[in-house]
Amino acid sequence: MAEPIIRVENVHKRFGSLEVLRGLSLRVDPGEVVCIIGPSGSGKSTLLRCINYLEPIQEGRIYVDGELVGMREVNGRLVPAREADLNRMRAKIGMVFQRFHLFPHMTALQNVMEGPLQVRRMRRDEAEALALRLLRKVGLADKATQYPSRLSGGQQQRVAIARALAMEPRIMLFDEPTSALDPELVGEVLQVMRDLAAEGMTMLVVTHEMGFAREVADRVVFIDGGVILEEGPPAEVFGSPRHPRTREFLSKVL
Ligand code: ADP
Ligand code: MG
């Protein structure tokens, strides 16, 4: 079997005495779209943040593209990863948050060019060509010279997706990318994500958009209380949920 892009093994994450992830394991294979659903406070965002090593874990292992996250082995012992290795690992992961976090003083084009210029050390003309291609892909070629404040929430989120793609990541992580949007702007962002999935991008998506999960996910994972209670193809999880907690959750959101 191919090496998974993401391998989370028995991860425990605590904030002080609060255990937020309680022995969670998950893998995402190349080309797979996995949607994570679950109640508020169940640890979904924390899981994504641990994968990206924005948060350290206390127990377990996380591998991205076969590489241990946040640690390295020296003579059979685990020591903290080097900053350079962390940066290399993070460059493999495109992350899109609920809030867009665009640089307000840069145009859409400059926002998308920033990673290629600063991190990938691309030539300016190459970075610009790449950024324009990506803005076209998310339907915003005509907004390249606009500043974020002049864009709608849906447009800003599409720029954020283009900016993440500009690093040519191995996987895209989405944390409720449409939750902060006005309802009429949700569809345009979901369409961009649908297109990405159709192109074969590997994606791990935390979402409350059950229609999207049902349609696009290869696998749906239900997280509650910091563990996976149920997972399977969307038709199974939505159509005949096995766990009472899944049924209870779905009855509230569907
Ligand atoms: P979800 O994304 O599923 O809504 P989160 O992963 O954001 O849940 O949060 C899970 C739990 O961890 C919540 O109880 C939250 O209050 C807590 N938590 C998240 N981040 C921190 C933090 N930095 N410090 C302390 N507690 C946190
Ligand atoms: Mg969250």
Side-chain angles (χ1 to χ4, degrees):
M1 221 185 312
E3 178 72 38
I5 306 284
I6 302 277
R7 188 146 53 95
V8 173
E9 285 180 354
N10 191 30
V11 163
H12 292 256
K13 168 68 191 173
R14 288 181 277 273
F15 293 108
S17 61
L18 177 68
E19 189 167 39
V20 174
L21 301 179
R22 299 185 300 124
L24 192 145
S25 300
L26 173 74
R27 60 183 282 161
V28 182
D29 286 319
E32 218 185 358
V33 177
V34 176
C35 284
I36 297 177
I37 61 172
S40 178
S42 57
K44 306 180 298 296
S45 295
T46 301
L47 172 63
L48 295 196
R49 292 173 58 79
C50 290
I51 290 173
N52 214 353
Y53 206 63
L54 296 169
E55 292 285 352
I57 59 176
Q58 279 75 45
E59 279 175 60
R61 302 264 190 278
I62 299 176
Y63 298 85
V64 172
D65 213 13
E67 276 186 71
L68 195 54
V69 170
M71 291 173 270
R72 68 193 167 102
E73 249 187 70
V74 176
N75 302 327
R77 284 183 40 243
L78 288 175
V79 300
R82 287 171 294 215
E83 200 58 32
D85 291 331
L86 277 178
N87 289 337
R88 200 168 36 75
M89 182 278 295
R90 286 198 181 110
K92 294 181 182 184
I93 301 175
M95 181 115 185
V96 176
F97 301 90
Q98 189 171 337
R99 294 273 164 202
F100 330 118
H101 304 297
L102 296 177
F103 303 116
H105 60 291
M106 293 184 185
T107 65
L109 186 72
Q110 289 167 336
N111 265 279
V112 181
M113 287 172 65
E114 191 63 8
L117 285 176
Q118 302 301 331
V119 182
R120 299 179 65 196
R121 302 276 169 208
M122 278 173 86
R123 279 192 356 231
R124 182 160 284 275
D125 58 335
E126 284 176 342
E128 185 170 323
L130 171 64
L132 275 173
R133 183 166 64 71
L134 290 170
L135 285 175
R136 203 173 305 124
K137 187 190 183 85
V138 301
L140 292 174
D142 59 329
K143 302 290 182 194
T145 59
Q146 296 287 344
Y147 287 88
S149 61
R150 301 290 300 274
L151 301 175
S152 72
Q155 290 168 338
Q156 289 182 58
Q157 192 60 304
R158 286 187 281 151
V159 174
I161 292 172
R163 188 178 56 177
L165 291 173
M167 296 301 289
E168 302 197 336
R170 297 278 284 138
I171 182 168
M172 289 285 285
L173 308 184
F174 292 88
D175 192 359
E176 299 191 27
T178 59
S179 295
L181 298 176
D182 292 332
E184 73 273 20
L185 304 177
V186 167
E188 63 192 59
V189 173
L190 293 182
Q191 186 55 46
V192 167
M193 295 169 64
R194 216 177 265 124
D195 293 345
L196 271 184
E199 284 173 20
M201 175 62 78
T202 308
M203 294 165 53
L204 181 56
V205 184
V206 175
T207 187
H208 289 297
E209 296 291 334
M210 298 301 151
F212 176 84
R214 190 191 282 263
E215 179 197 346
V216 181
D218 296 301
R219 187 150 49 92
V220 173
V221 171
F222 175 65
I223 294 186
D224 194 11
V227 290
I228 294 176
L229 283 189
E230 178 159 1
E231 65 180 301
E236 275 177 26
V237 174
F238 291 119
S240 47
R242 288 186 306 264
H243 201 286
R245 291 287 298 155
T246 319
R247 285 200 287 272
E248 185 193 341
F249 174 75
L250 290 176
S251 73
K252 287 183 196 149
V253 297
L254 284 180

